[in-house]
């Protein structure tokens, strides 16, 4: 039966310098040549998945923005957006706690530059995405997003979550960064939708990840694989821990399950 493998991007397919090991590219191509599907499955919104080095690998599809945006072979098949009222509510809660945010959508990333003057991630966004990075401003009607990311900077996350309300899920990363998603959406829900569309049985699902926003994905698939360079929580959630990203981690994991030779 046909199998499907989902790959996180950051810390899984490429490192902090966006370098993808040659062994990873070769392994994914061999996986597909053998008849299996290969999907990106990222917390990044679609606007922030633009690297030709990454996309030219030739993935069958993309689950972006923690399951709220899905495409298959170049066509959008699912898009969950925050309403104007939701965007306004979340921004008010963030402002009340002095938490600067990056708003992430299918076409644009929105950020107030003065809140991230020396932030390397925002500097990267502006350099990489250019005109696709816009200021948040005050007109909520022009903001089209699936989710947000934010820097806590000492804020009380429990108090913020209480003010935010139950309509949103907050993922806390080890580096004081949080992701804010509409409640009930995750990489796992995106995987479920894709597998239903392609008629893939659960026993033939695999996923590679390395961090906190991969936990539901690693737990949901039949075979969750954590990178050797991943966080402790990712390794605990996985069925198998492969080697580090630069020690042929993807190739080693695929070979462990007999998906490539």
């Amino acid at each position: 039966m046909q199998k499907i493998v989902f790959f996180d991007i950051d810390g899984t397919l490429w490192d902090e310098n966006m370098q993808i090991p040659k062994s990873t590219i070769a392994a994914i191509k061999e996986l597909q040549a053998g008849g299996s599907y290969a999907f990106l499955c990222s917390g990044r919104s679609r606007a922030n998945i633009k690297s030709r080095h990454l996309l030219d690998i030739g993935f069958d599809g993309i689950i972006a923005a923690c399951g709220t945006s899905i495409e298959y072979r170049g066509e959008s098949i699912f898009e969950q957006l925050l309403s104007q009222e939701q965007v306004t509510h979340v921004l008010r809660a963030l402002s009340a706690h002095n938490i600067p945010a990056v708003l992430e959508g299918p076409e644009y990333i929105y950020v107030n530059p003065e809140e991230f003057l020396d932030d390397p991630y925002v500097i990267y966004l502006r350099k990489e995405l250019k005109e696709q990075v816009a200021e948040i401003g005050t007109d909520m009607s022009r903001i089209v997003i699936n989710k947000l990311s934010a820097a806590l900077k000492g804020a009380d996350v429990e108090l913020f979550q209480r003010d935010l309300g139950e309509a949103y899920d907050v993922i806390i990363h080890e580096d004081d960064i949080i992701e804010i998603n509409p409640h009930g959406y995750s990489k796992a829900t995106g995987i479920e939708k894709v597998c239903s569309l392609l008629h893939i049985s659960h026993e033939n699902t695999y996923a590679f990840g390395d961090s906190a926003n991969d936990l539901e994905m690693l737990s949901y698939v039949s075979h969750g694989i954590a990178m050797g360079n991943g966080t402790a929580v990712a390794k605990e959630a996985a069925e198998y821990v492969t080697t580090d990203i630069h020690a042929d981690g993807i190739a080693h994991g695929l070979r462990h399950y007999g998906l490539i030779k």
Side-chain angles (χ1 to χ4, degrees):
M1 294 183 68
Q2 208 158 23
K3 299 181 180 182
I4 188 166
V5 187
F6 299 91
F7 298 91
D8 172 55
I9 298 176
D10 298 286
T12 300
L13 290 176
W14 67 25
D15 61 18
E16 66 276 8
N17 298 311
M18 295 180 293
Q19 298 300 307
I20 306 173
K22 291 181 179 179
S23 65
T24 293
I25 297 172
I28 293 172
K29 290 185 178 297
E30 182 180 345
L31 171 74
Q32 292 174 301
S36 295
Y37 290 105
F39 268 71
L40 290 174
C41 191
S42 179
R44 289 173 175 245
S45 72
R46 187 63 181 88
N48 195 15
I49 304 177
K50 296 295 182 183
S51 168
R52 294 317 315 173
H53 185 42
L54 177 67
L55 296 178
D56 284 349
I57 294 174
F59 292 93
D60 296 288
I62 301 172
I63 298 173
C66 289
T68 58
S69 180
I70 305 173
E71 65 180 61
Y72 174 58
R73 294 186 174 168
E75 293 188 11
S76 175
I77 60 172
F78 179 77
E79 199 79 60
Q80 177 66 37
L81 301 171
L82 294 182
S83 68
Q84 181 178 336
E85 291 75 19
Q86 287 177 308
V87 173
T88 300
H89 170 74
V90 174
L91 288 178
R92 284 175 178 168
L94 288 164
S95 178
H97 292 268
N98 297 310
I99 301 174
V102 175
L103 284 58
E104 305 167 67
E107 296 185 25
Y108 291 92
I109 301 292
Y110 306 84
V111 62
N112 288 328
E114 67 275 9
E115 296 180 328
F116 293 95
L117 290 176
D118 300 316
D119 187 277
Y121 178 62
V122 174
I123 292 172
Y124 152 77
L125 287 177
R126 297 181 68 84
K127 179 180 178 181
E128 187 78 8
L129 303 183
K130 299 180 175 62
E131 68 278 1
Q132 287 181 278
V133 178
E135 291 195 31
I136 295 174
T138 58
D139 182 5
M140 297 300 103
S141 66
R142 53 181 278 278
I143 294 179
V144 180
I145 60 170
N146 309 94
K147 54 165 289 208
L148 306 87
S149 296
L152 285 174
K153 295 190 175 182
D156 187 325
V157 68
E158 291 186 4
L159 184 59
F160 168 69
Q161 284 181 280
R162 190 169 68 217
D163 290 347
L164 188 63
E166 297 181 354
Y168 309 89
D169 293 330
V170 176
I171 301 172
I172 304 171
H173 292 270
E174 293 182 349
D175 49 3
D176 210 32
I177 298 298
I178 59 174
E179 289 185 82
I180 303 167
N181 307 314
H183 176 67
Y185 290 91
S186 68
K187 291 184 177 183
T189 63
I191 289 172
E192 184 178 23
K193 285 183 174 64
V194 167
C195 291
S196 177
L197 171 73
L198 299 178
H199 306 291
I200 304 292
S201 65
H202 185 261
E203 65 186 29
N204 290 320
T205 57
Y206 303 76
F208 285 81
D210 74 300
S211 67
N213 73 351
D214 297 317
L215 299 185
E216 291 191 4
M217 172 178 78
L218 293 173
S219 299
Y220 174 77
V221 296
S222 185
H223 308 287
I225 305 153
M227 301 301 292
N229 51 277
T231 61
V233 290
K235 293 176 181 178
E236 290 172 4
E239 176 182 76
Y240 178 72
V241 178
T242 187
T243 51
D244 287 13
I245 185 172
H246 287 297
D248 302 332
I250 296 296
H252 183 80
L254 292 174
R255 199 171 291 119
H256 172 80
Y257 284 99
L259 297 170
I260 64 172
K261 293 183 179 179

